[in-house]
């Protein structure tokens, strides 16, 4: 505790640099649970790019949420399931709550607010290398307005990027922002404090049954996960407004006509303008080829089988603000 100035001892779990990512046995077979078993839903919230999806993947122990450098990467709630002998934690990774600029943004915000009301714990993520600002305070106010009775805790993410003094300052600031709620510092990429965080989350869950079998890591369907991996590959290296305009749909998945055990996956990447197609295609089609190559490798790893991936680019003009097109794309 000496490394962190003046933070109440009951608010901070101790730093353990050797702490690894949570794992362990899957628990009892089927849905049988021991006495005192805890289960429930946890939602990670925060501004875009605060490490929510990376944290979800690290806790689950498998990639279920895509990550990218752009804001508003997550487009729908993703449930990741963490199995322990004494608990089952369902982490709901949501789109970052933000001030919307489009109809899509408004619908994502409504989706997030509905999620808040159905979980047991809401964890506000704030990165160690960025000062707490008006956006964080706005999120806290929104959470308390929508889900006043849900337990709220704080997580300082990316603690590996700064020194311990800066981590301590951020912990104090987050503790104060949350009116004395418990706060935990973590690094998803360095496996720091993940077990401690998981222990804290479990403490706040009610006793109850398992919601999912032991072999489940997410309730996202296959096509949604494939579409997200393609979108992640398409976003790689983009740093302007284009990422907000990219959506992906899986057209069909069928057996390859001549190669046994191979699936043909046909997908469409939608953008809002012709110029955006040119950016995603790249000179001589090289950028699109790299997108297909990178996404194919990820999908093969996810499915455990070989695939042929066909990706086409199409324009859906101003789809982010068109109710019909939003509905067709699943928003």
């Amino acid at each position: 505790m000496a490394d962190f100035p003046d933070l109440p001892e009951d608010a901070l779990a101790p730093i353990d640099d050797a702490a690894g990512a949570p794992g362990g046995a899957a628990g009892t077979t089927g849905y049988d649970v021991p006495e005192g078993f805890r289960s429930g839903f946890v939602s990670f919230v925060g501004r875009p790019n605060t490490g929510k999806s990376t944290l979800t993947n690290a806790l689950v122990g498998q990639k279920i949420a895509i990550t990218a450098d752009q804001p508003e990467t997550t487009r729908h709630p993703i449930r990741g399931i963490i199995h322990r002998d004494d608990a089952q934690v369902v982490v709901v990774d949501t789109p970052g709550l933000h001030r919307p600029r489009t109809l899509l943004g408004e619908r994502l915000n409504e989706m997030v607010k509905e999620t808040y009301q159905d979980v047991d714990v809401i964890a506000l993520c704030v990165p160690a290398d960025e000062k707490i600002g008006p956006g964080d305070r706005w999120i806290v106010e929104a959470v308390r307005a929508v889900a006043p009775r849900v337990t709220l805790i704080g997580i300082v993410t990316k603690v590996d990027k700064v020194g311990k003094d800066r981590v301590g300052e951020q912990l104090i600031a987050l503790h104060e922002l949350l009116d004395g709620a418990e706060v935990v510092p973590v690094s998803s990429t360095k496996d720091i404090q993940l077990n401690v965080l998981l222990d804290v989350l479990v403490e706040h869950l009610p006793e109850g049954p398992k919601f999912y079998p032991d072999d489940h890591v997410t309730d996202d369907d296959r096509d949604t996960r494939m579409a997200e991996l393609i979108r992640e590959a398409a976003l790689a290296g983009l740093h302007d407004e284009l990422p907000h305009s990219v959506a992906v749909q899986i057209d069909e998945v069928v057996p390859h006509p001549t190669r046994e055990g191979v699936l043909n996956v046909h997908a469409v990447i939608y953008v809002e303008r012709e110029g955006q197609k040119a950016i995603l295609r790249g000179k001589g089609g090289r950028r699109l080829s790299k997108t297909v190559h990178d996404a194919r490798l990820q999908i093969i790893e996810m499915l455990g089988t070989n695939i042929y991936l066909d990706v086409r680019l199409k324009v859906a003009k101003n789809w982010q603000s068109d109710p019909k097109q939003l509905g067709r794309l699943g928003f």
Side-chain angles (χ1 to χ4, degrees):
M1 292 302 302
D3 291 321
F4 302 104
D6 302 325
L7 188 69
E9 291 189 3
D10 61 352
L12 171 64
I15 283 281
D16 175 10
D17 290 332
T28 52
T29 58
Y31 287 90
D32 296 329
V33 298
E35 185 177 353
F37 190 88
R38 293 179 180 272
S39 61
F41 294 79
V42 175
S43 183
F44 292 151
V45 302
R47 291 179 286 108
N49 289 341
T50 54
K52 301 183 298 296
S53 296
T54 303
L55 180 57
T56 297
N57 292 338
L59 288 172
V60 173
Q62 185 179 135
K63 182 174 182 175
I64 62 167
I66 69 171
T67 58
D69 294 331
Q70 301 84 6
E72 300 173 42
T73 298
T74 303
R75 290 268 178 83
H76 68 283
I78 299 165
R79 290 179 175 85
I81 302 138
I82 304 163
H83 303 275
R84 300 203 331 182
D85 287 339
D86 62 342
Q88 185 178 83
V89 184
V90 184
V91 177
V92 187
D93 179 31
T94 65
L97 194 64
H98 62 288
R99 291 182 173 86
R101 298 170 298 170
T102 63
L103 180 58
L104 172 64
E106 292 175 8
R107 291 189 176 181
L108 293 181
N109 268 2
E110 289 305 312
M111 182 192 310
V112 172
K113 290 176 181 178
E114 289 177 6
T115 301
Y116 289 169
Q117 300 172 20
D118 294 329
V119 299
D120 301 288
V121 180
I122 294 174
L124 175 67
C125 296
V126 174
D129 58 347
E130 298 178 20
K131 287 188 176 181
I132 290 175
D136 300 296
R137 289 186 280 272
W138 181 78
I139 290 172
V140 172
E141 291 172 2
V143 168
R144 287 179 170 152
V146 175
R149 290 185 293 274
V150 176
T151 299
L152 184 62
I153 70 169
I155 303 174
V156 174
T157 60
K158 308 181 183 181
V159 299
D160 58 297
K161 291 190 172 184
V162 298
K164 286 193 174 182
D165 287 345
R166 176 67 190 122
V167 174
E169 293 171 2
Q170 193 76 320
L171 288 167
I172 293 171
L174 184 55
H175 183 63
E176 293 175 351
L177 175 65
L178 300 179
D179 296 329
E182 193 163 11
V183 294
V184 184
V186 304
S187 168
S188 303
T189 58
K190 300 296 184 182
D191 291 352
I192 297 172
Q193 292 279 103
L194 296 183
N195 278 329
V196 174
L197 172 60
L198 190 52
D199 286 342
V200 170
L201 295 175
V202 169
E203 288 174 5
H204 290 291
L205 297 182
E207 292 189 8
K210 290 184 180 181
F211 296 103
Y212 297 92
D214 292 340
D215 59 350
H216 275 47
V217 294
T218 181
D219 65 353
D220 257 3
D221 63 86
R222 179 199 64 183
D223 287 6
T224 297
R225 294 184 72 186
M226 288 194 297
E228 287 291 271
L229 291 172
I230 294 168
R231 186 162 66 93
E232 179 183 51
L235 293 178
L238 297 177
H239 299 288
D240 53 21
E241 288 301 306
L242 178 58
H244 304 286
S245 302
V246 176
V248 179
Q249 254 190 345
I250 302 298
D251 259 2
E252 65 174 356
V253 181
V254 294
H256 193 284
T258 59
R259 299 176 62 189
E260 186 176 352
V262 178
L263 293 176
N264 282 0
V265 178
H266 299 277
V268 179
I269 298 178
Y270 290 97
V271 291
E272 294 187 304
R273 297 186 298 277
E274 284 291 338
Q276 295 169 341
K277 279 178 62 177
I279 293 173
L280 289 183
R281 184 179 293 110
K283 188 175 182 180
R286 286 193 291 271
R287 182 178 179 83
L288 181 59
S289 294
K290 178 171 171 48
T291 294
V292 172
H293 174 268
D294 293 349
R296 176 176 174 269
L297 293 180
Q298 294 259 34
I299 293 172
I300 288 173
E301 182 177 354
M302 185 194 87
L303 296 179
T305 189
N306 197 8
I307 70 162
Y308 165 78
L309 179 59
D310 168 60
V311 177
R312 290 167 291 145
L313 299 174
K314 287 188 177 182
V315 173
K317 189 175 180 181
N318 298 323
W319 68 264
Q320 292 185 85
S321 298
D322 184 330
K324 289 184 179 179
Q325 294 195 85
L326 282 173
R328 182 167 56 84
L329 292 171
F331 298 106

